[in-house]
Amino acid sequence: MPPRRADEADEIVVTADRYGEAKVAAESEFGEAEIASHGADSIEDLLTRLSPFIDPSGEEPVILINGKPAGFDRSILSYPAEALQRLAVLKPEAAAQYGEPASKRVVNLVLKKQFSMWSADAGVDFPTAGGQVGGKLSANRTAIDGDTRWNATARIAADSAFRKSARALPPRDGVFDSVGFVSAPDGGEIDPALSLIAGEPVTAAAIPPEWLAGAGAGAGVPGLADFAATANALHPVDPNAYETLQSSRRTASLAIGVTRPLGAFTAALNLNASRNSSDGELGLPMVSVPIPAGSPWSPFADDVLLTRPFAGERALRNANNSTALGASLTLNGSIGSWQTNFGVNYRRNWASNLLETGIDRARIQQAIAADAAFDPYGPWDESLLLATRGRTRSENLSARLNIRKTIIDLPAGPMVWNLTANASRNRSHSRQEGGDSGDGGGDAGAVERRTTRHQTSGQMTLSLPIARRGEAGPAWLGDLSLGLSASTQAMTGSRAQKRYGANVSWSPWSIVQLRGSIDRAEAAPSFDQLDAPIVTTVTRVFDYARQEVAEPLWITGGNPDLRGGSRQSVSLAATLRPLGGQALTLNIGYRQSVAKGGVAGFPELTPAIEAAFPERVTRDAEGRLVAVDARAINIARDTDAELSSGIALRLGQARAGERSKAAPEPLQISVSLNHRYRLKSELLTRSGLPAIDQLRAGGQSRHNLSMQLSVGKRGIGANLSGNWSSPGRLRGAADDTDAAFRFKPPLTFNLSAFVEPDRLFALSGKKGALNGLKISVDVRNLFNGYRRVTFADGRVPPGYSRNEIDPLGRTLSLTARKRF
């Protein structure tokens, strides 16, 4: 071997993990160019746009930040999308390695090492048919310096009320007058003496203005001359002007997050505060009460009927307010060979609501008969309104610890053991006052509830690699891994629930991925399902029993009588990448789940559901729908089975090192098409009742098709998404063909586009108003479609006209974003 010359250097090979890489390999990745082509303003917005490529089911993924679990750190979602170096969707087996259910997908957000940006957003949105306008403002500051980063985001937004008068909608039945009047009970002449003074037959006379304003109270009862001055002078109004289809809304929020190294750990502290309020109007409150002849308040010879609003044009109100404060701390790091993630989260909420449902007619009638001081023509006290007021205070303290360790390095890879422990305490104090007692007596009193519940849970998973292509196992076996999980959960007031699961992932060839999982869980109701505050609203629904539109009281909140149940699910899936990369992906899957004795949200009030839960529905003596207790229910059995398939195409991706800096950036094109075919959806509400086939007679669609097309690059891009569902059928009150309702969902499209003038016209780096500016436009329901409902003979049921089903229609949003 010849001697080495002095100028020769040793060859050094450095092997290191890729920056921000997770412990599980990525199934697909989105680089900076592809991320920029979507035009997302925040990481949260980006995840929404990429959901067809992450998990077509739309389930929220597990988040990693630079390969480490995010835990309670949700501030990352408000970071600008420009802060990302790449986004990786990990292989399905990653969920078990990070202590999550096998059905969850895991996304790794890899941030840039150095990044700094100020940004401000201003936007306006409105339906193209008019009737409402909304606006929003936000400011964001993000700075990243290696492992140290911080973010602050402030937002305010407001939407005006969307009134019923903005659309051609049928008004409520009844007489609506902004002043009030007296009339004869039979609709004829009030009093011949009054007609003689007025010089014409008088069938109605407005309340004299002095008494209406309260100035005439000291003068006693108004005389015939006072009513003659207002003879036949009515003040009719459009009742739709006093009803809102959507309440006015106001929101404000502030979130601050700081992450920095802390010894061997990385600590993330997040603080947030928010305030939300809404105000709606539920119609002009009117009441008709008889005033008998001889009453101290009647100058007439015969009985009269007083019809009046509560207070001029004051509408019934529905107001909701909530305030929330929160803080979380997350620690990520290693203790020896143990990877640890610890988080603690605290949240406190205050909420109040007011619902006015009408005028207490019984009390007014009683006051006219027995209280000589009560003036039926003058201003009325607020206590005469039927109203429900509620206040709720709640707090939640939760902690989570996740530890994982490589038990042994097998030929096919490391065997990873993972343990997750959770503990939480939830307290709530609610008080509800007022409401109708149900017997015409008005105020039903106050109901106060205090609850405290503790919950603990633990989950253990084991990830076992069996074979790896080219390194361990027979060559024909390819990549094969197995995941096992077991967990238990206990909550105050219920027994411990156990859960077991197993999943297998097999890739016999590099272009094929096969997955299967089975899961059996005993489930208990959640905190909210048990103890959420009771909220009463007025909801517009179609009453299938009477085939008419109704506006009953709709009661939601916690149901402490709920019991636990069990669920078993099986899923199989296959992924094929025939081109060997990320350009083309084909998916097909099967899922079946059976829930027994579990908890479900209250379904649509069909005749079958009303027959199963008659105690949840209140009707008056004439059968009209008055109230619905729509809190969560226990069901006997719920069975679902479906096939899913999809295709995803991504073009324009350049491999590392293939594109020079001088070369133009390629156009990024992505297309996804997903189909869901529901094989079975059967609901057994209670034992002894017939099961409800929701696909044949429950109004549900058997087929659903969704698509998304994105085309763009840095500086300009557009996105078109669409959704279609097959028609459904709902059996009406009678079991015959003519009584069936047929639902035909629309083919809806949403379009969004953005442009950055400085990048488009090569103005980057130059001073000016266009530098750092991005203009976005979003159109929801592009073709203004709506779900059509007809009887079997083609007739449209009452309440199902175009404006009654979807009065808002097509909406347009314009946003300007400025980077500094």
Side-chain angles (χ1 to χ4, degrees):
M1 181 176 184
R4 188 182 63 183
R5 298 200 313 265
D7 60 347
E8 288 182 340
D10 290 332
E11 181 179 293
I12 300 175
V13 178
V14 178
T15 302
D17 289 337
R18 189 181 178 195
Y19 171 70
E21 194 82 340
K23 296 300 182 182
V24 179
E27 183 179 74
S28 59
E29 282 190 357
F30 298 84
E32 286 187 57
E34 196 168 2
I35 290 172
S37 71
H38 286 273
D41 290 336
S42 66
I43 291 178
E44 183 175 26
D45 185 22
L46 178 67
L47 289 173
T48 300
R49 298 184 184 220
L50 294 180
S51 60
F53 303 95
I54 299 173
D55 187 351
S57 69
E59 187 175 4
E60 184 178 356
V62 178
I63 301 296
L64 307 182
I65 305 173
N66 293 337
K68 300 177 181 179
F72 292 119
D73 184 5
R74 310 305 291 172
S75 68
I76 190 67
L77 298 178
S78 62
Y79 277 45
E82 293 92 334
L84 285 174
Q85 184 184 97
R86 65 182 186 276
L87 182 150
V89 182
L90 305 188
K91 291 184 176 180
E93 57 265 31
Q97 289 225 19
Y98 290 97
E100 300 291 344
S103 60
K104 288 273 193 177
R105 298 307 306 264
V106 182
V107 170
N108 184 25
L109 305 175
V110 182
L111 301 172
K112 294 176 179 176
K113 294 182 179 181
Q114 302 292 327
F115 180 81
S116 178
M117 191 178 88
W118 283 91
S119 66
D121 298 66
V124 61
D125 55 86
F126 51 89
T128 55
Q132 187 185 49
V133 65
K136 58 186 177 181
L137 292 171
S138 67
N140 177 279
R141 168 61 172 162
T142 302
I144 302 174
D145 183 9
D147 292 331
T148 300
R149 62 181 186 269
W150 70 278
N151 171 270
T153 303
R155 292 189 176 97
I156 58 172
D159 293 286
S160 66
F162 182 38
R163 297 187 178 277
K164 195 174 179 181
S165 56
R167 297 290 184 270
L169 292 171
R172 292 173 181 263
D173 294 332
V175 176
F176 296 90
D177 190 279
S178 63
V179 172
F181 57 91
V182 294
S183 61
D186 59 2
E189 188 178 31
I190 297 176
D191 189 328
L194 176 62
S195 300
L196 184 62
I197 297 173
E200 61 178 334
V202 180
T203 57
I207 298 174
E210 302 95 304
W211 273 264
L212 192 65
V221 62
L224 288 178
D226 296 305
F227 281 104
T230 61
N232 297 321
L234 302 183
H235 303 80
V237 293
D238 178 10
N240 286 355
Y242 305 92
E243 289 188 58
T244 54
L245 297 171
Q246 289 186 8
S247 301
S248 62
R249 299 182 296 268
R250 296 163 299 281
T251 63
S253 64
L254 174 65
I256 301 173
V258 180
T259 302
R260 60 168 299 158
L262 188 65
F265 287 81
T266 299
L269 175 65
N270 291 277
L271 305 172
N272 58 80
S274 63
R275 171 74 174 174
N276 300 280
S277 62
S278 65
D279 292 285
E281 294 183 355
L282 303 175
L284 189 66
M286 299 291 298
V287 66
S288 295
V289 291
I291 300 180
S295 166
W297 290 99
S298 176
F300 307 108
D302 299 312
D303 295 348
V304 295
L305 190 66
L306 172 65
T307 301
R308 61 165 289 179
F310 176 76
E313 298 188 19
R314 181 203 185 287
L316 295 171
R317 296 173 296 169
N318 181 19
N320 294 276
N321 297 278
S322 65
T323 302
L325 297 175
S328 70
L329 176 66
T330 302
L331 296 173
N332 265 305
S334 301
I335 301 177
S337 59
W338 297 86
Q339 296 292 320
T340 63
N341 176 272
F342 173 75
V344 60
N345 183 70
Y346 177 78
R347 187 169 180 85
R348 192 173 182 88
N349 296 271
W350 298 265
S352 64
N353 61 79
L354 167 67
L355 175 68
E356 296 174 340
T357 56
I359 303 173
D360 194 339
R361 184 179 183 276
R363 282 186 59 192
I364 293 172
Q365 188 67 65
Q366 183 180 13
I368 291 175
D371 187 357
F374 177 74
D375 181 0
Y377 308 113
W380 283 352
D381 186 80
E382 292 281 328
S383 64
L384 294 175
L385 278 177
L386 294 172
T388 300
R389 294 174 175 85
R391 292 184 179 276
T392 303
R393 183 176 67 251
S394 64
E395 65 174 2
N396 175 269
L397 177 63
S398 56
R400 183 179 191 270
L401 174 65
N402 175 261
I403 57 175
R404 62 186 185 278
K405 176 183 174 61
T406 298
I407 298 177
I408 187 173
D409 284 314
L410 299 174
M415 180 189 297
V416 178
W417 178 80
N418 191 299
L419 176 65
T420 302
N422 296 278
S424 61
R425 183 194 68 192
N426 195 78
R427 290 180 175 176
S428 66
H429 175 205
S430 63
R431 179 181 175 86
Q432 187 169 354
E433 301 174 339
D436 194 336
S437 63
D439 58 2
D443 197 336
V447 178
E448 192 166 359
R449 292 176 59 193
R450 294 176 183 268
T451 58
T452 299
R453 293 186 188 271
H454 297 84
Q455 179 175 295
T456 57
S457 66
Q459 175 173 290
M460 183 174 63
T461 63
L462 185 66
S463 297
L464 178 63
I466 298 174
R468 179 182 294 180
R469 186 177 298 106
E471 296 186 22
W476 59 268
L477 197 55
D479 292 340
L480 179 63
S481 63
L482 177 68
L484 302 173
S485 66
S487 66
T488 183
Q489 174 181 293
M491 182 189 293
T492 303
S494 64
R495 63 180 180 82
Q497 297 89 43
K498 298 177 286 295
R499 180 173 183 171
Y500 306 97
N503 66 88
V504 62
S505 178
W506 180 33
S507 176
W509 305 281
S510 59
I511 63 172
V512 177
Q513 179 84 39
L514 304 175
R515 302 184 300 276
S517 68
I518 185 170
D519 187 84
R520 191 188 189 285
E522 298 172 343
S526 67
F527 284 134
D528 287 340
Q529 289 172 332
L530 290 168
D531 301 323
I534 302 298
V535 178
T536 304
T537 59
V538 174
T539 301
R540 185 182 176 88
V541 299
F542 186 78
D543 183 1
Y544 293 100
R546 291 175 55 92
Q547 296 189 6
E548 66 183 17
V549 176
E551 295 185 336
L553 297 179
W554 200 262
I555 303 167
T556 58
N559 180 5
D561 297 327
L562 292 174
R563 304 177 307 277
S566 65
R567 177 179 291 272
Q568 181 171 310
S569 60
V570 176
S571 65
L572 301 170
T575 300
L576 175 65
R577 291 187 170 87
L579 302 183
Q582 301 178 143
L584 179 62
T585 304
L586 305 174
N587 292 292
I588 188 169
Y590 169 79
R591 184 188 66 84
Q592 182 191 57
S593 67
V594 179
K596 296 181 180 180
V599 178
F602 193 78
E604 184 177 4
L605 187 62
T606 63
I609 294 299
E610 184 173 354
F613 299 95
E615 73 281 3
R616 293 297 194 97
V617 179
T618 303
R619 294 183 179 273
D620 62 16
E622 297 179 357
R624 293 189 177 89
L625 193 60
V626 174
V628 177
D629 182 353
R631 295 176 298 163
I633 58 174
N634 276 115
I635 56 173
R637 187 179 68 248
D638 187 7
T639 305
D640 284 287
E642 67 179 35
L643 284 172
S644 61
S645 58
I647 178 172
L649 180 66
R650 294 165 59 192
L651 304 175
Q653 306 167 70
R655 296 180 182 176
E658 283 189 357
R659 188 174 67 87
S660 66
K661 293 184 179 181
E665 190 171 277
L667 195 65
Q668 304 287 332
I669 302 174
S670 61
V671 183
S672 70
L673 185 65
N674 294 288
H675 175 246
R676 185 179 69 162
Y677 175 39
R678 304 188 68 180
L679 302 171
K680 187 174 186 179
S681 179
E682 190 176 84
L683 180 65
L684 178 62
T685 54
R686 289 180 174 175
S687 298
L689 296 177
I692 303 172
D693 187 337
Q694 301 187 92
L695 295 174
R696 292 182 179 273
Q700 292 189 1
S701 299
R702 188 175 292 275
H703 296 271
N704 176 263
L705 192 65
S706 62
M707 61 79 63
Q708 179 174 290
L709 168 65
S710 295
V711 179
K713 60 179 182 178
R714 295 180 195 266
I716 189 170
N719 178 286
L720 178 67
S721 61
N723 191 282
W724 172 83
S725 295
S726 61
R729 180 178 180 272
L730 174 67
R731 186 175 294 125
D735 191 13
D736 63 80
T737 305
D738 292 337
F741 296 84
R742 296 185 176 180
F743 300 86
K744 185 179 180 181
L747 173 60
T748 58
F749 286 97
N750 302 318
L751 175 67
S752 63
F754 76 96
V755 62
E756 297 177 83
D758 62 339
R759 294 186 182 276
L760 194 61
F761 302 110
L763 301 176
S764 297
K766 300 179 182 179
K767 293 183 178 181
L770 298 180
N771 188 40
L773 179 66
K774 180 170 75 173
I775 300 173
S776 304
V777 58
D778 292 273
V779 184
R780 309 289 298 179
N781 195 1
L782 183 63
F783 297 112
N784 207 24
Y786 71 100
R787 188 179 70 159
R788 299 177 184 273
V789 181
T790 63
F791 290 116
D793 58 7
R795 290 180 297 115
V796 176
Y800 278 99
S801 66
R802 195 264 177 269
N803 284 332
E804 289 173 294
I805 288 183
D806 181 15
L808 203 63
R810 182 194 302 111
T811 60
L812 180 67
S813 177
L814 300 172
T815 304
R817 178 175 182 243
K818 177 75 172 176
R819 299 189 308 271
F820 301 95

